[in-house]
Amino acid sequence: MARNPKKKNRSKAAKNRQNGSSSEATLAPAATRVWQPGVDGIEDGEELQFDPSAYDCLHAFQLGWPCLSFDIVRDALGGLRSSFPHTMLCVAGTQADVAANNAVVVVRLSNITGMKRKQPLGGNDESESDSDSSDEDEDITTEVGAIQPASKNPVLQVRMVAHQGCVNRIRAMQQQPQIVATWADTGYVWDVGVHIRSLSSGSAETSTGLSSIVRQAPLQIFTGHKEEGFALDWSPLVPGRLVTGDCKSFIYLWEPSEGGRWNVENTPFSGHKSSVEDLQWSPTEASVFASCSIDGTIAIWDVRSRTQAAISVKAHDADVNVISWNRLASCMIASGSDDGIFRIWDLRSFKDDSFIAHFKYHNAPITSIEWSPHEASTVAATSADNQLTIWDLSLERDAEEEAAYQAQLEQKQAEAPEDLPPQLLFVHQGQKNLKELHWHPQIHGLMVATSGDGFNVFRPSNLDNLAAS
């Protein structure tokens, strides 16, 4: 995020010039520099601006009510895609004003376009982005809550299924993406397949934005939890296997049974001393999952033992809000806490305070964290400080390489502050009250984030190594 004089000041200077006034000192633009939230202030006459070249694409949409949680739904459009325009599916859960107004929202966003760019130094004659990209003078953030008919704009289609109560967490099953679990005051499982098919068919009633709420019975309701919760995860190895954790510190295992139903074990996993905030299944061991808690610990569990965790470590000095298990390097877990710290753990040497990386960049609670599905060393986090950050843990600072890169540019870029961690790849801002992020598992480098003021869909331009065709 760069800082520049406000446009109104430049307009005033231009008016003086038309009247014959000479004020060269006033007209000279202030030097562009990187602005650090929580560190730098904003002076009178300044406004924040972002560099459009930082994004390969950036779009925004809203779903009527804020959504605390969402999940990207795997589709049949290709296992690994990079060329614009893109189409994606996701499910989200609302936080409405009253319980009866909530919904599970099934979303199809199509014609996600990239941006045309000037020819890079040493490049070929083809544009870096698809020919369907927006014009260079077009705003790169497109509000698609109200659909615009022009083909260059993304198209939002939604179906809304009534849900009793605010949705704290929502997840789609990897093996059967139409099966979705939600966590509110009660745990639910839904089949949204008919809505996905309707959106994909492009029927007229679903092609113009928000739709009316339909009523549908869930596949299953579980009322065994004594209090609401936020922790929920489907197993990536056993179709239909699910764990849910509540604010009373208990975790329940759901096992699939015949007829599209689940058997939920009567005896919960117990061991945490406070609310279970997040759950993650192992990507390689079908019986193993991890949990984190307000009690500051991360625990590793085996489904064959409910009374005690296999391993439990003191991970943070504050509430542990979120964890992510690396699916490309299964010995790694990332965790984020209420004090803005996130840490990386190696399970091969997992014990109290044995983290292998520690980052104190954010100045507010970490609200989500997720490893890239395409690069084992890359992880992203969101924070209540209204920043989404992307990190590459394999990076080390190289001053000579940075100087050589700047020398190749036609226009010198704003230099990053010296005290920024060298592993910090990208900072995304502009969303207020960020809650959750996800990488798209089938589109290189594409990310989605939800916040109090809606969703952003974007791809950072410096992740080209992840988005190579």
Side-chain angles (χ1 to χ4, degrees):
M1 188 71 71
R3 54 191 296 174
N4 273 334
K6 284 186 177 179
K7 292 180 180 179
K8 65 178 182 181
N9 291 346
R10 290 198 291 270
S11 298
K12 182 178 179 180
K15 184 176 181 180
N16 290 339
R17 187 167 60 248
Q18 291 173 356
N19 293 335
S21 301
S22 176
S23 180
E24 292 299 326
T26 302
L27 294 177
T32 300
R33 65 186 181 88
V34 174
W35 181 79
Q36 301 180 80
V39 177
D40 300 327
I42 301 177
E43 300 176 3
D44 292 340
E46 287 186 323
E47 69 177 4
L48 298 179
Q49 297 179 346
F50 76 98
D51 182 357
S53 67
Y55 293 89
D56 285 339
C57 76
L58 174 59
H59 302 287
F61 67 91
Q62 296 179 339
L63 296 177
W65 298 107
C67 295
L68 183 70
S69 181
F70 75 101
D71 200 13
I72 295 175
V73 176
R74 292 177 180 267
D75 55 49
L77 300 177
L80 205 53
R81 316 192 290 271
S82 60
S83 298
F84 289 104
H86 291 298
T87 295
M88 61 166 288
L89 292 165
C90 70
V91 288
T94 65
Q95 297 275 309
D97 56 345
V98 295
N101 288 340
N102 281 291
V104 171
V105 188
V106 185
V107 179
R108 185 177 188 266
L109 189 65
S110 58
N111 200 40
I112 301 171
T113 55
M115 294 185 296
K116 290 181 179 178
R117 301 190 185 283
K118 294 181 179 180
Q119 180 62 33
L121 294 176
N124 53 32
D125 293 334
E126 296 182 0
S127 172
E128 289 184 18
S129 296
D130 188 84
S131 60
D132 290 336
S133 300
S134 306
D135 295 334
E136 289 183 20
D137 59 353
E138 180 188 359
D139 290 340
I140 66 169
T141 300
T142 304
E143 296 291 343
V144 296
I147 295 301
Q148 303 296 322
S151 61
K152 62 186 177 182
N153 291 327
V155 176
L156 177 71
Q157 301 167 263
V158 303
R159 293 293 299 269
M160 305 180 75
V161 179
H163 188 282
Q164 183 61 36
C166 295
V167 179
N168 295 341
R169 192 67 54 89
I170 185 169
R171 292 291 182 264
M173 189 195 307
Q174 179 176 325
Q175 301 89 346
Q176 300 177 53
Q178 77 277 9
I179 305 300
V180 172
T182 59
W183 219 146
D185 295 336
T186 302
Y188 297 89
V189 178
W190 309 82
D191 185 343
V192 297
V194 63
H195 307 295
I196 292 175
R197 292 189 293 273
S198 176
L199 294 174
S200 299
S201 70
S203 56
E205 67 270 20
T206 61
S207 62
T208 56
L210 299 180
S211 64
S212 59
I213 297 179
V214 300
R215 298 198 173 276
Q216 174 183 324
L219 294 178
Q220 184 143 344
I221 303 174
F222 175 61
T223 59
H225 284 283
K226 303 304 181 185
E227 194 170 331
E228 69 172 337
F230 295 84
L232 167 70
D233 197 34
W234 291 103
S235 169
L237 301 178
V238 181
R241 179 175 280 179
L242 177 70
V243 280
T244 53
D246 61 35
C247 294
K248 283 288 190 181
S249 79
F250 298 121
I251 301 168
Y252 284 85
L253 175 67
W254 304 45
E255 292 282 18
S257 63
E258 296 181 358
R261 302 285 295 175
W262 279 259
N263 292 323
V264 185
E265 300 288 345
N266 292 325
T267 304
F269 296 86
S270 58
H272 283 297
K273 297 178 181 178
S274 191
S275 174
V276 176
E277 297 293 280
D278 203 3
L279 290 161
Q280 285 275 284
W281 283 99
S282 165
T284 57
E285 297 182 68
S287 64
V288 175
F289 67 90
S291 63
C292 67
S293 170
I294 284 178
D295 64 18
T297 65
I298 298 174
I300 308 297
W301 303 82
D302 190 306
V303 298
R304 294 162 291 190
S305 175
R306 286 169 173 70
T307 58
Q308 184 176 348
I311 307 172
S312 181
V313 303
K314 180 67 174 177
H316 290 266
D317 293 327
D319 303 356
V320 188
N321 297 329
V322 287
I323 52 175
S324 179
W325 204 316
N326 194 322
R327 306 221 167 172
L328 300 179
S330 61
C331 60
M332 299 292 182
I333 284 182
S335 62
S337 64
D338 223 36
D339 55 10
I341 292 172
F342 77 89
R343 290 172 170 171
I344 310 299
W345 306 83
D346 188 333
L347 295 177
R348 295 170 296 187
S349 56
F350 195 43
K351 56 185 178 181
D352 289 1
D353 297 322
S354 64
F355 51 86
I356 61 172
H358 168 103
F359 295 96
K360 182 65 175 88
Y361 169 83
H362 291 284
N363 52 36
I366 303 297
T367 55
S368 70
I369 194 164
E370 187 169 285
W371 291 98
S372 165
H374 304 125
E375 182 63 42
S377 64
T378 302
V379 66
T382 59
S383 169
D385 63 9
N386 301 324
Q387 296 183 82
L388 183 157
T389 54
I390 304 174
W391 305 74
D392 187 341
L393 307 183
S394 68
L395 293 180
E396 295 181 1
R397 191 154 200 172
D398 188 325
E400 293 183 1
E401 183 176 331
E402 291 176 8
Y405 172 73
Q406 288 279 8
Q408 294 180 36
L409 299 175
E410 295 179 1
Q411 181 177 357
K412 187 175 178 64
Q413 292 184 339
E415 294 185 0
E418 289 294 326
D419 58 348
L420 284 184
Q423 296 85 5
L424 181 59
L425 275 183
F426 193 85
V427 179
H428 171 71
Q429 297 180 73
Q431 293 180 270
K432 296 180 180 179
N433 198 18
L434 275 160
K435 290 299 183 183
E436 195 168 273
L437 74 93
H438 292 297
W439 300 83
H440 199 296
Q442 297 168 272
I443 302 176
H444 275 304
L446 192 73
M447 306 186 73
V448 186
T450 185
S451 65
D453 53 3
F455 289 78
N456 276 188
V457 179
F458 62 95
R459 189 171 77 182
S461 61
N462 64 345
L463 298 186
D464 286 342
N465 62 312
L466 301 182
S469 298

